[in-house]
Amino acid sequence: MRNDLHQIEAAFVGTPLAGLPIGHGPSGTVLVADIDPNRLHEAWQAADALVPVIGRRPVMVTDDFNDTLRIRPEPEPGPSESELRAFAEAAESSEPWLTYRHYSEDDEVDECEVEYYTRGMDRVDLTDLVSDVVLPTPRPVLERALYGRLLADADLYARVLDSVRFVTQTDYWYTPTSVLLMLLPTSDVRSSGYWVDFFGALTPEYQRTLAEVLAQWHHRWDARLVASWGTMLQFQVGHRPAPGDEAWTAAGQLEALAPNLGLSRWEVAVALPAGDAWFVHNRP
């Protein structure tokens, strides 16, 4: 069924994918062209709902930066079952949060730097919230204390949320000029990492580690990869982390994978419980 384009086309009938050009893609994938960039999430949701039918997990890709990403006249072989099984087993045995760590994780904050780390998007000075923290201290310790104090101040928490909620909304997602739907030759989340093109996973080791991140996030948060734009990943999240320890842990993982997100960890922790769209940015 996975290699039968006609059966996939038949499954698309009655969905936003019906009638779109379809053909063979790289390494055993199938590509669907002419996706409306303004409806890419809707198109992905239609394909995601069909995973039990067609046996292929969907991810949106673009040829804006890669002119080799195109429909091929003949199918191109992908990995063998044994190769893909070995990839998934290696991914499962990896330790992703030892491999992925934010570059500032080990920073020490002294007295003259506190204000820099406690000013958020709306530029409100939150230094007083951590006035009792003994300095110097590791940045994660300072930010965790700040986040805890925010949780205890509903008005201040709401003000911060208003300034950062955009990072967990689809409006914040990047939209390429040209969008294609790539149907991967597997329904397994961990195995799907074999085909994900991401700047933060340029080596085989990192690719396997990313695959484990996909599996862990899917299991814990029902986070499903919607799009891969090379330096960016976009996820639909079915289970939001609760404010507190859950949000703090998830924020740390997101920042580790997305060092170019542009927010402090405490801001990400405030944003995550308020939205269903995660954005990862990792660029040169």
Side-chain angles (χ1 to χ4, degrees), residues 1-84:
M1 180 183 296
R2 292 176 182 166
N3 292 321
D4 192 333
L5 299 181
H6 294 297
Q7 291 190 27
I8 295 175
E9 287 181 305
F12 284 172
V13 172
T15 77
L17 303 168
L20 294 179
I22 184 172
H24 303 289
S27 192
T29 64
V30 167
L31 288 177
V32 182
D34 295 349
I35 302 292
D36 184 349
N38 296 313
R39 301 180 64 191
L40 69 85
H41 192 200
E42 180 183 350
W44 175 88
Q45 288 175 319
D48 185 61
L50 291 173
V51 171
V53 178
I54 63 177
R56 288 178 174 267
R57 191 156 290 280
V59 60
M60 292 296 178
V61 295
T62 181
D63 58 357
D64 282 359
F65 322 113
N66 182 2
D67 57 10
T68 65
L69 190 61
R70 60 180 182 274
I71 290 177
R72 292 154 166 76
E74 298 293 335
E76 181 179 293
S80 66
E81 289 188 15
S82 61
E83 288 174 324
L84 196 57

Side-chain angles (χ1 to χ4, degrees), residues 189-248:
V189 174
R190 185 176 283 109
S191 300
S192 70
Y194 181 93
W195 288 271
V196 176
D197 177 27
F198 178 51
F199 178 76
L202 296 180
T203 67
E205 177 187 1
Y206 271 90
Q207 194 167 24
R208 292 188 294 265
T209 304
L210 175 63
E212 182 58 20
V213 171
L214 299 180
Q216 288 189 13
W217 281 3
H218 186 271
H219 175 74
R220 185 66 183 86
W221 311 114
D222 188 26
R224 306 182 184 211
L225 182 62
V226 174
S228 172
W229 313 129
T231 60
M232 292 166 280
L233 303 176
Q234 292 165 186
F235 293 84
Q236 173 183 290
V237 179
H239 176 64
R240 303 178 184 183
D245 288 341
E246 283 191 358
W248 180 253

